[in-house]
Amino acid sequence: MLQGKSIVLGVSGGIAVYKAVELLRLLTKAGADVHIIMTKNAQEFVAPLTFQTLSGNPVNTDLFNLYQEQEIGHIALADRADLFILVPATANLIGKIAQGLADDLLTTSVMATKSPVLIVPAMNTNMYENPIYQRNEKYLAEQGYHILEPVSGSLACGWNGKGKLPDPEVIFTAVESMLTPKDLLGCQILVTAGPTREEIDPVRYVSNYSSGKMGFAIAKVAQQRGAQVLLVSGPTCLTVPVGVHCIPVCSAEEMRAAVLEHYDNTDVVIKAAAVADYRSADRSVQKMKKTADRLSLNLERNPDILAELGQKKAGQILVGFAAETERLLAHAAEKLEKKNLDIIVANNVTDPGAGFDTDTNIVRLLHADGRVESLEKMSKQMVAQQLLNRVAMLWKVKGR
Ligand code: PMT
């Protein structure tokens, strides 16, 4: 998503400068071309060489440095940005921008840029709460600057309160979101993720290896593309993406109830969850004791949630996943038809780099009109992008 994007990262002087280094690493790893401008004070905290090494670009520090001006120039920097981010942004920097001051390279470039600007403040909590600072921040927000609010926590100055820079991952997500076209604006998408757990007794369950990564990636990307996303997730260790509403569930029955409750108000359902097909027929209320050498579990079928959605379909776009270990296309095609789906995403979960608990996936997309597309191995986030490209097209065709 950030591949080839030009980002100007403006760094002003605060203890949180070290977090801007980590953010820079995330941005360059994602393929962004990052140009750094540091204020004089920022250089007191971290040397420009660190930023230069990680960005692969010269760090810009002076408005009147002839070499830098000849090579890049403050207007050229302002012009080339797809996005301008200020991390950390001090009260002083925000105050200067709000007053229209341009007395160094960073403030001059911010004033000259036509690109969106994301400001991520960090400061002492009393400074943050100061009405003068609050007025400046509010004014900039009214002028169209994007503000990612600081979080609460224990601050380097010893105070505890609001003023802490959000984690670099959170800032990175905000950057991704700002650079993503909103082609799913107005679309209600329900995504299921993770495994379900079917209890045998209070301490044991039947489940599978799903980590939730595939479903969470879809939820995150859909939200970034402007959709209203409801995530119904079985137990996972993952953090719910910013802006996504999550209903945590445990069993298939709970997942079914949550999904059906919201189905009528949904435009698109994407079922990436690995729902357990069977549950214990006689769940024991107490922990089962080991007595005999052998134990047989009596299992009964769980409801097939997706098949039920297919039967009740009233204009929704339905996307299923097929986790297979053999005859991938044949099994997936059967599910596509049986469950009345628009698309099924087929993955052979025994392929290295595909399926359960990996960061990548290798999928085939089978469409209701008979088309089959093979995607190469890619990150689950990229699979989500590719899938949502197809979903966005279907949604447009349906007249939204
Ligand atoms: O979570 P990860 O670790 O990232 O792993 C990703 C994944 C392997 C779980 C994902 O890529 C995937 O394949 N999800 C579907 C797993 C699955 O249950 O496949 P299935 O072929 O058994 O089911 C077909 C479809 O019916 C699925 O969309 C499933 O959600 C749905 N289903 C299945 C059974 C059931 N009782 N109710 C359902 O709704």
Side-chain angles (χ1 to χ4, degrees), residues 14-260:
I15 187 67
V17 170
Y18 74 95
K19 287 192 184 171
V21 175
E22 178 59 15
L23 173 66
L24 169 60
R25 213 185 52 75
L26 294 173
L27 294 171
T28 51
K29 199 170 152 211
D33 181 27
V34 188
H35 295 268
I36 318 290
I37 303 177
M38 295 182 83
T39 64
K40 197 163 171 295
N41 287 343
Q43 297 166 59
E44 299 289 333
F45 291 90
V46 174
L49 185 60
T50 307
F51 285 97
Q52 184 154 313
T53 310
L54 289 173
S55 68
N57 287 317
V59 171
N60 305 281
T61 51
D62 289 326
L63 190 52
F64 299 112
N65 178 319
L66 289 180
Y67 172 74
Q68 286 183 356
E69 197 55 22
Q70 180 195 349
E71 284 295 295
I72 303 185
H74 63 279
I75 301 300
L77 266 180
D79 283 351
R80 81 163 43 159
D82 293 307
L83 180 68
F84 215 116
I85 51 181
L86 303 174
V87 184
T90 58
N92 180 52
L93 177 66
I94 289 167
K96 284 207 270 185
I97 299 170
Q99 298 308 311
L101 296 178
D103 63 352
D104 62 8
L105 182 59
L106 183 53
T107 47
T108 309
S109 305
V110 172
M111 186 165 273
T113 193
K114 290 268 188 208
S115 77
V117 179
L118 174 66
I119 300 177
V120 192
M123 64 196 72
N124 162 272
T125 192
N126 294 338
M127 290 170 78
Y128 176 75
E129 286 167 3
N130 187 309
I132 299 172
Y133 170 78
Q134 285 297 323
R135 184 196 62 198
N136 288 339
E137 190 192 284
K138 185 163 174 268
Y139 175 69
L140 289 179
E142 285 164 4
Q143 297 309 307
Y145 290 83
H146 300 259
I147 314 276
L148 181 60
E149 283 290 320
V151 293
S152 294
S154 85
L155 303 171
C157 55
W159 282 82
N160 214 309
K162 200 165 175 185
K164 206 175 156 78
L165 196 82
D167 284 339
E169 288 78 10
V170 174
I171 305 173
F172 177 78
T173 303
V175 169
E176 273 189 324
S177 187
M178 285 183 72
L179 288 170
T180 306
K182 305 288 179 252
D183 59 347
L184 288 170
L185 203 64
C187 186
Q188 304 276 342
I189 301 191
L190 192 160
V191 181
T192 69
T196 64
R197 277 183 191 168
E198 313 299 330
E199 277 195 11
I200 297 168
D201 70 10
V203 298
R204 304 178 180 95
Y205 55 81
V206 175
S207 190
N208 56 65
Y209 293 114
S210 171
S211 63
K213 288 179 183 175
M214 191 64 250
F216 274 58
I218 296 168
K220 178 182 164 180
V221 173
Q223 192 278 336
Q224 288 180 339
R225 289 170 70 155
Q228 193 80 28
V229 182
L230 176 64
L231 177 64
V232 177
S233 176
T236 78
C237 302
L238 304 177
T239 308
V240 177
V242 178
V244 168
H245 180 61
C246 181
I247 301 178
V249 295
C250 194
S251 65
E253 273 293 359
E254 285 172 23
M255 183 171 279
R256 175 180 174 270
V259 169
L260 287 180

Side-chain angles (χ1 to χ4, degrees), residues 269-272 304 306-307 313 317-324 328-347 363-375 383 387 390-391 394:
V269 177
I270 304 180
K271 284 217 79 254
D304 190 320
L306 191 52
K313 203 172 182 182
I317 294 164
L318 276 191
V319 179
F321 272 69
E324 309 295 344
L328 180 66
L329 288 180
H331 287 314
E334 199 182 314
K335 287 174 186 173
L336 174 79
E337 199 195 327
K338 234 180 175 170
K339 302 192 188 202
N340 192 18
L341 308 179
D342 296 274
I343 300 176
I344 192 153
V345 184
N347 44 188
V363 303
R364 312 266 178 98
L365 303 178
L366 284 71
H367 298 259
D369 61 12
R371 276 178 303 128
V372 178
E373 299 179 273
S374 295
L375 304 187
V383 172
L387 177 61
R390 276 72 174 175
V391 167
L394 283 177

